[in-house]
Amino acid sequence: MPLTDALFGAFAIPFMGRALLVMLVLAVVAGFVGVLVNLRGLEFISDGLTHAVFPGLAIGLAVGGSAGLLPGAAIAALAGALALTWLDRAGITSDAAIAIVLTATFSVGVIVVSRSDDYAGELEALLFGRVLTIPPDEVLPLIVVSITALLMVLVTLKQQLYRAFDAKGSRAAGDSALVLDLVLNSAIALVVVAAASTIGTLLVLALLIVPGAVARLTTARLWWLFPAAAGFAAIAAWLGLALGFAVSVGAGVDVPAGSTVVAVFVVGYAIVLLVSSTIRWSRTRINGSRDRAEHRDPVVAGDGR
Amino acid sequence: MDDSPVLRLRGAAFTHPGGTGVSGLDLDIARGEAVALIGPNGAGKSTLLKGILGLVPRTAGTIEFGSQRPGAGGSPTLASHAPNGMVGFLPQSADLDPDFPISVEQVVMQGRYRGLGLLRWPGRADRAAVREALETVGLAELAKRPFGELSGGQRQRGLLARALASDPGLLLLDEPFNGLDQPNRDALVGTVRALKTRGVAVLVSTHDLDLARRVCDSVVLVNRTQLASGPVDDVLTLSNVQECFEGVEVEIDEHTLVVPGHEGH
């Protein structure tokens, strides 16, 4: 299959076009929110939220079929955001506490799903997503959920960054730590909700964490972090979908699209890490040899004697 | 012009949820006045400053900012919220990540956020205020540098600039001289003097009589309760300071309060 077909032509097919639209919006929003996850060090709490959403998806599916997925996930995610914000404020932020909450909620989800007739199929769809089979009438709700998460973060962005940099200073300036944490955790939860319906609850964490980590490697300028993370996420999502299509249709090897997207995210991170490490290493070498040259004994121009 | 004090406490007490606190506070700070807050470790100096900020609940008495009184005292959950942007605060130590990707001027701009609220973004006036604050503390040359690259003293001055950028009527400084070298101490003293001439009221907790004598108009001695207050020379007597430091042997040399066995934090 020609490269241009995979990169551009494939997305003329309606289901691929829908997948690209949803993934681009989701990736940009997740990249943006992910910068704050990175700056606040909320990676493990985000993992807790991804698991907390699972029973909501399962119950939503059991009660309302696929139309019940989004509302079920939204309720579970917001409840999870409340619970994790409360745990954090109560000083119960140990890894053990979060691990207990996330495994408990996950097991509830598995029990609910196990009651259905198509246990294996539904479990797989919830865990690993169904980005290529998003029904047309679910596209708009997914975009609305993603944009809502973005707006929540945008409106509080100055204050979120202040809190990320200096939590005590932010409180002294009159910002409410509870409100800011609740808003950020809810925004993360909404990204998880949108992502759970597309690339699955297990893979969503890559969307939240990898772009922020890539941005930190590529720039030390605060306001460049956001376009860097969003840009990386959008390009990786596009390439991931194209690669999945090329391998599945061109090579005849059936690979799940969500997993391909996440694989491209991780490979992208590895490449950026390698390049940035090489640049840092060569800068250190150049600076080191310059320092040595500056400290070398001056050569005295002799008169031949 | 409003002649009422910038800050007035009457019989105020601030108490942490755990029960420790400071009480019996009667204090007036006028525009352009600097007041030193002196007491041993654990005397409640930081609690008092945080109480003024509304971070520690006021459990008795009254507090007034200018002519505004944020509620009467008595309720154990009553905070003392100052009017928007009126109080600037320089904490004793800020637990800041040196790798956080933020420049000096971006840190100082945070001082403007409270006035901007949620939806407005910094404009020309805010950038001018940031420049002025950086010039006041002598860091204008380093505005674009990553904050984490500054020395400890420069960081402290950067955080002071952030407090100044909010254009406060009252500035609270919590042990600002801790760990500063002489050039940074001199810069800080100069800054406090400049603020006073601009009409800013300053309340500074310190162990350092150098600061109290060079820039403060009056002193408040506290040790869980207010023990004495008034002009520097009247209050900083050996007997007053010995009482405040609870019988610990106290020497007062020309500049520094030396309390053997006391770490000076």
Side-chain angles (χ1 to χ4, degrees):
Chain A
M1 172 186 290
L3 188 63
T4 50
D5 277 2
L7 288 176
F8 304 106
F11 299 105
I13 306 168
F15 76 87
M16 285 298 289
R18 279 198 299 275
L20 181 66
L21 175 65
V22 171
M23 280 307 300
L24 282 180
V25 173
L26 178 62
V28 167
V29 174
F32 206 93
V33 175
V35 171
L36 287 174
V37 171
N38 180 290
L39 292 174
R40 288 282 307 274
L42 295 178
E43 286 85 354
F44 197 51
I45 285 188
S46 303
D47 192 25
L49 278 172
T50 64
H51 287 71
V53 164
F54 188 66
L57 285 166
I59 293 168
L61 188 69
V63 174
S66 66
L69 280 174
L70 209 54
I75 292 167
L78 293 176
L82 275 171
L84 286 169
T85 306
W86 174 78
L87 280 172
D88 188 41
R89 290 191 63 79
I92 312 167
T93 49
S94 73
D95 291 355
I98 296 171
I100 288 166
V101 170
L102 69 87
T103 47
T105 52
F106 209 70
S107 64
V108 169
V110 173
I111 290 168
V112 173
V113 173
S114 71
R115 307 308 303 156
S116 75
D117 297 333
D118 180 21
Y119 171 58
E122 286 181 0
L123 189 63
E124 187 185 335
L126 294 180
L127 292 179
F128 305 113
R130 48 189 184 93
V131 64
L132 298 184
T133 56
I134 299 171
D137 57 354
E138 279 187 30
V139 171
L140 188 61
L142 285 173
I143 290 175
V144 168
V145 168
S146 303
I147 298 294
T148 305
L150 183 64
L151 287 177
M152 289 168 79
V153 167
L154 273 179
V155 167
T156 58
L157 188 58
K158 298 191 301 291
Q159 284 72 17
Q160 295 284 3
L161 287 169
Y162 195 166
R163 177 156 169 68
F165 172 65
D166 181 3
K168 285 183 194 162
S170 151
R171 280 193 66 207
D175 292 338
S176 164
L178 174 66
V179 170
L180 288 175
D181 287 358
L182 207 52
V183 168
L184 181 56
N185 284 344
S186 300
I188 295 169
L190 289 180
V191 171
V192 171
V193 168
S197 299
T198 50
I199 65 165
T201 55
L202 283 187
L203 299 174
V204 47
L205 206 56
L207 257 64
L208 272 169
I209 289 175
V210 175
V214 165
R216 288 294 295 272
L217 287 172
T218 52
T219 180
R221 291 170 185 270
L222 187 61
W223 296 111
W224 280 103
L225 291 173
F226 296 97
F232 169 84
I235 291 170
W238 169 48
L239 292 179
L241 284 174
L243 179 68
F245 183 82
V247 172
S248 298
V249 176
V253 180
D254 193 16
V255 293
S259 308
T260 319
V261 168
V262 170
V264 170
F265 267 67
V266 176
V267 169
Y269 173 76
I271 292 170
V272 172
L273 180 63
L274 188 69
V275 171
S276 67
S277 303
T278 309
I279 291 171
R280 252 201 315 274
W281 178 77
S282 54
R283 273 188 192 154
T284 313
R285 293 260 303 177
I286 290 166
N287 289 342
S289 38
R290 192 180 297 150
D291 287 348
R292 276 195 299 280
E294 282 170 3
H295 289 97
R296 201 180 297 146
D297 289 337
V299 176
V300 179
D303 59 4
R305 280 182 291 181
Chain B
M1 186 180 288
D2 188 357
D3 286 335
S4 51
V6 176
L7 175 72
R8 168 172 284 174
L9 298 178
R10 285 291 175 270
F14 300 102
T15 312
H16 286 285
T20 57
V22 58
S23 61
L25 299 159
D26 289 298
L27 179 64
D28 284 327
I29 308 182
R31 290 182 80 248
E33 186 185 16
V35 176
L37 187 61
I38 292 179
N41 287 344
K45 303 190 296 294
S46 294
T47 304
L48 166 54
L49 298 183
K50 286 175 183 166
I52 293 168
L53 284 164
L55 299 178
V56 175
R58 176 163 45 93
T59 47
T62 59
I63 185 167
E64 291 174 31
F65 296 99
S67 51
Q68 298 186 45
R69 180 189 292 199
S75 161
T77 56
L78 193 65
S80 312
H81 293 297
N84 240 4
M86 186 187 154
V87 182
F89 178 53
L90 179 66
Q92 187 175 147
S93 64
D95 187 16
L96 304 175
D97 174 9
D99 292 328
F100 198 97
I102 191 166
S103 69
V104 176
E105 65 181 355
Q106 285 168 336
V107 171
V108 179
M109 184 61 84
Q110 290 174 338
R112 305 289 296 174
Y113 286 175
R114 190 170 183 186
L116 286 169
L118 287 178
L119 295 176
R120 278 169 51 218
W121 285 82
R124 198 173 296 166
D126 302 298
R127 283 191 288 277
V130 166
R131 250 194 322 275
E132 191 186 336
L134 281 168
E135 279 164 10
T136 304
V137 303
L139 284 183
E141 304 279 300
L142 304 178
K144 303 284 181 194
R145 285 269 285 276
F147 191 77
E149 285 185 7
L150 301 187
S151 71
Q154 288 171 334
R155 278 184 215 180
Q156 191 79 341
R157 279 155 61 191
L159 295 179
L160 177 61
R162 181 175 73 182
L164 297 181
S166 64
D167 198 15
L170 171 65
L171 185 63
L172 308 178
L173 308 175
D174 196 359
E175 306 278 7
F177 276 48
N178 271 3
L180 290 194
D181 56 14
Q182 196 58 43
N184 279 307
R185 289 163 67 91
D186 291 341
L188 188 55
V189 167
T191 302
V192 172
R193 282 201 179 120
L195 291 173
K196 283 174 61 181
T197 58
R198 269 195 248 161
V200 178
V202 181
L203 178 59
V204 50
S205 83
T206 182
H207 287 99
D208 198 318
L209 297 196
D210 184 30
L211 181 69
R213 290 196 173 119
R214 283 168 69 185
V215 294
C216 292
D217 306 285
S218 57
V219 171
V220 177
L221 288 178
V222 290
N223 192 353
R224 291 288 151 220
T225 186
Q226 183 172 315
L227 300 171
S229 70
V232 177
D233 291 335
D234 294 353
V235 173
L236 281 185
T237 62
L238 191 59
S239 63
N240 272 347
V241 176
Q242 271 178 327
E243 186 196 348
C244 178
F245 283 81
E246 291 181 317
V248 178
E249 186 182 341
V250 176
E251 297 168 28
I252 301 179
D253 66 21
E254 199 176 320
H255 291 298
T256 309
L257 177 67
V258 179
V259 185
H262 196 77
E263 293 300 323
H265 291 297

